Amino acid sequence: MSVLEQPLTTLYPARKAARAMTAEDLWNLPRVGSPEPAADGRAFVVPVTRYDLAKNAPTTQIYFVNADGSGDPRVLTSPDVSASDPRLSPDGSQLAFTRKDANGKAQLMLLPMSGGEARRATDLPLGVFDPRWLPDGSGLVFAAMLVV
């Protein structure tokens, strides 16, 4: 048995950089969430989270991306308030998502994909999560905690 002093191959050779990567660099990287495809498969919506180190808080925006990579991703939600749980309607005309209200509880929002402002669809004391469109697009179902 022999032992090599040098490896025969290097999977990731050391890269020359101006400085080493820091924890702050990692926090500044956007985090891409799970994509939600459109029913026709031509596009998808995806949440992207960025962290504000000064505020010590994350903000998530929802992007619309063409599946073939054409065009630039389009930001659908405001950077001022986090949005999550994006779901495109079966016909692609509306986006359902959740956004925290003034009390910090996620409420269901509906955004027309043709443009315009999102409108609030729920006002529940403990918020909602996991919205899903009915297969025919006639409505939404979501989960919510109940006060008993």
Side-chain angles (χ1 to χ4, degrees):
M1 180 170 151
S2 64
V3 177
L4 297 174
E5 289 184 24
Q6 295 286 339
L8 295 176
T9 60
T10 303
L11 205 55
Y12 299 103
R15 295 185 176 111
K16 305 294 183 215
R19 63 177 178 78
M21 183 174 268
T22 65
E24 186 172 283
D25 293 332
L26 293 174
W27 281 110
N28 285 324
L29 291 173
R31 286 7 181 233
V32 178
S34 297
E36 176 72 20
D40 63 8
R42 294 183 184 170
F44 57 91
V45 289
V46 62
V48 177
T49 302
R50 290 179 174 81
Y51 288 86
D52 183 330
L53 295 176
K55 293 179 183 176
N56 192 28
T59 302
T60 302
Q61 288 181 278
I62 298 171
Y63 286 75
F64 180 86
V65 180
N66 291 321
D68 65 4
S70 65
D72 290 330
R74 183 170 46 126
V75 181
L76 299 176
T77 58
S78 166
D80 300 329
V81 183
S82 265
S84 59
D85 293 327
R87 302 285 186 264
L88 282 169
S89 62
D91 66 0
S93 67
Q94 293 188 82
L95 174 70
F97 63 96
T98 59
R99 175 183 286 162
K100 290 185 179 178
D101 62 14
N103 297 323
K105 303 300 180 189
Q107 301 297 335
L108 184 64
M109 306 292 289
L110 295 173
L111 176 72
M113 292 300 291
S114 59
E117 292 295 316
R119 69 178 174 82
R120 188 170 167 169
T122 62
D123 186 16
L124 297 174
L126 299 178
V128 303
F129 58 96
D130 199 24
R132 303 285 172 161
W133 287 95
L134 295 175
D136 64 359
S138 63
L140 287 153
V141 295
F142 54 84
M145 302 294 289
L146 296 175
V147 178
V148 290

